[in-house]
Amino acid sequence: MKTVFAKPGTVRGDWFVVDASDKTLGRLASQIAHRLKGKHKADYSPHVDMGDHIVVVNAGKIRVTGRKLTDKIYYHHTGHIGGIKSIALEKLLAEHPERVIEFAVKGMLPKNPLGRRMFRKLHVFAGGTHPHQAQQPKPLDIQ
């Protein structure tokens, strides 16, 4: 008996739309990362990008537990000396709500070229509309 691996040419990526309103950030992000990796498919192969395209709408209506709105800080460095920048989750949700979900999902994907290819299949929008209607995404219910 031989192990059957999926070939990149035979992988079919479907389109799904997820409504993020009133969903918990971490639980939603882990389910999205699971779908982007393709682990929900029976013929999953870890070396092939088997994931689906995920369109997330209403990213501004996401919720978090505890005091994370004020206590959770996102850091990045500009590259210059003393150039560390920080922003609280509350301010990031007000200014760029789509980035909150992107940061959470990106941290759950592999840190290599395959993970970056998987991340490109994530499309996050702050409002309730998106420009991917031509792909006819199916609604995906995530608890």
Side-chain angles (χ1 to χ4, degrees), residues 1-46:
M1 187 173 278
K2 290 188 156 204
T3 303
V4 179
F5 289 108
K7 305 280 189 294
T10 61
V11 174
R12 183 169 161 261
D14 296 325
W15 283 75
F16 292 98
V17 63
V18 175
D19 187 10
S21 55
D22 294 325
K23 300 278 193 320
T24 307
L25 174 63
R27 294 173 188 273
L28 176 70
S30 65
Q31 292 289 323
I32 291 172
H34 190 79
R35 286 270 174 176
L36 288 173
K37 285 182 189 178
K39 288 188 128 182
H40 63 287
K41 296 184 179 178
D43 59 344
Y44 169 72
S45 298

Side-chain angles (χ1 to χ4, degrees), residues 47-102:
H47 65 285
V48 179
D49 182 13
M50 303 190 62
D52 298 324
H53 288 265
I54 306 290
V55 178
V56 182
V57 294
N58 294 321
K61 298 178 184 174
I62 197 111
R63 66 180 178 86
V64 292
T65 58
R67 297 188 308 188
K68 291 189 191 93
L69 279 177
T70 55
D71 291 353
K72 184 164 181 62
I73 307 291
Y74 292 95
Y75 295 98
H76 73 278
H77 201 282
T78 62
H80 294 284
I81 297 171
I84 190 100
K85 301 284 184 181
S86 62
I87 186 167
L89 176 60
E90 190 172 32
K91 189 173 179 186
L92 189 62
L93 270 173
E95 293 176 4
H96 304 284
E98 61 279 347
R99 289 188 193 169
V100 174
I101 294 178
E102 287 174 357

